[in-house]
Each structure stands twice: as C-alpha cells, then as structure tokens.
Amino acid sequence: MPSLWPSGWAPLQPLLLLLVVAARALPSADGTCPERALERREEEANVVLTGTVEEILNVDPVQHTYSCKVRVWRYLKGKDMVTQESLLDGGSKVVIGGFGDPLICDNQVSTGDTRIFFVNPAPPYLWPAHKNELMLNSSLMRITLRNLEEVEHCVEAESGHLHL
C-alpha cells in the first residue's frame, strides 16, 4: 500500500504522532475545561462584581500568577464582604489575585479587559502577600447581556433561599 506521506515526511511521522497525542492529553488543548455550573460558582463566591482591569501587579515569575487592580463598576453580590482596607482610590477599585492559577480555567486578563469576577477575600494563609486582596474563585466571564442576566438570576435565586 502506498504511503499517505510524501517521501520526505517519513522521518517526521513519529514526531507528528507524538504531537497529536500530547495535544489531546493537555486539559485545555481542545478548548474545553471542566468548569463548574454557574449556580455553583456563584454560591461558592462571596463576592461577584463587574470591573475593568486597570493594572497588572505582583507577577510571580515562578508560579506565573499575578494580581490586578480592578475598577469596580457594579457589585452583583457581597459588597458588604469587601473590607474598607481592600478598597483603593476612594472605594472604586480593588486588587484581585489568583490570575494564572492552573486550577481555574479562564483566568488570564490584560489591562482594559472588563469581566464578571467571582472572588472571595484572601484567606489568612495567603497573608501577608495577598492581605486585603480578593482572590479569583472560578473562571472569569465576559460581560454580555445574557451573562449578566444569568449571574443576576443565580444571585437572586440564592438570596431567595432560607439558609438555616
């Protein structure tokens, strides 16, 4: 049977096969990532806000993680969970950490990006490096009318439940 490969490609066959296998083995190589349901993401986040990334801070060259100064446009949930010490520039900005965390699917931003952020206050074990920061809890969401409506629906549904 004649080969499907041009004669000059024969030495590359094992390498190409290895690349295909490696690409399929990577968790997000096919554009998917095991993200939790929106309802669960919203429940697990103490604070949900919309904002625009203004500055990238505290880049860790080893872990490839970073924090961002974010101008807050609107709190969808948990404004009362954000301490006065966490607020910057007259209360209009916060620092959010956890970007680049390999356990969070969509967690990369650039300055000027406006997103929906699911965050929690940084736990004490991350202090002092992240004291007074909010930390990403799950993937970022792009701001669309549909996404805003879905997140608001989740917040309203949760606040309507009795927590015993």
Side-chain angles (χ1 to χ4, degrees), residues 22-66:
R24 289 180 182 255
L26 293 172
S28 59
D30 61 355
T32 63
C33 182
E35 183 63 78
R36 297 184 308 276
L38 180 59
E39 292 81 5
R40 184 159 172 216
R41 292 168 59 200
E42 181 274 327
E43 286 173 11
E44 292 173 353
N46 291 318
V47 181
V48 180
L49 60 89
T50 63
T52 301
V53 175
E54 290 203 338
E55 188 179 348
I56 294 178
L57 314 161
N58 309 327
V59 177
D60 183 325
V62 176
Q63 301 293 327
H64 303 291
T65 57
Y66 55 99

Side-chain angles (χ1 to χ4, degrees), residues 1-14 16:
M1 181 172 153
S3 172
L4 296 174
W5 298 89
S7 60
W9 286 59
L12 295 176
Q13 284 179 347
L16 290 171

Side-chain angles (χ1 to χ4, degrees), residues 4-5 8 21 35 43 45 49 51 56 75 82 87 107 116 126 130 158 164:
L4 296 174
W5 298 89
V21 170
E35 183 63 78
E43 286 173 11
L49 60 89
I56 294 178
Y75 288 93
V82 181
L87 298 172
N107 65 11
I116 302 171
L126 292 176
H130 296 283
E158 182 186 357
L164 302 175

Side-chain angles (χ1 to χ4, degrees), residues 63-75:
Q63 301 293 327
H64 303 291
T65 57
Y66 55 99
S67 300
C68 294
K69 185 186 285 189
V70 174
R71 174 178 295 280
V72 177
W73 298 115
R74 184 171 162 212
Y75 288 93

Side-chain angles (χ1 to χ4, degrees), residues 35 38 41 48-51 106 114-118 138-144 146-148 150-151:
E35 183 63 78
L38 180 59
R41 292 168 59 200
V48 180
L49 60 89
T50 63
D106 181 7
T114 300
R115 298 284 187 270
I116 302 171
F117 299 88
F118 298 83
S138 66
S139 291
L140 304 164
M141 283 183 84
R142 295 193 180 277
I143 294 196
T144 65
R146 180 178 180 168
N147 285 348
L148 282 170
E150 287 180 0
V151 173

Side-chain angles (χ1 to χ4, degrees), residues 92-118:
S92 64
K93 297 177 188 172
V94 294
V95 175
I96 299 176
F99 295 94
D101 183 334
L103 300 177
I104 299 174
C105 296
D106 181 7
N107 65 11
Q108 299 290 335
V109 289
S110 301
T111 55
D113 287 352
T114 300
R115 298 284 187 270
I116 302 171
F117 299 88
F118 298 83

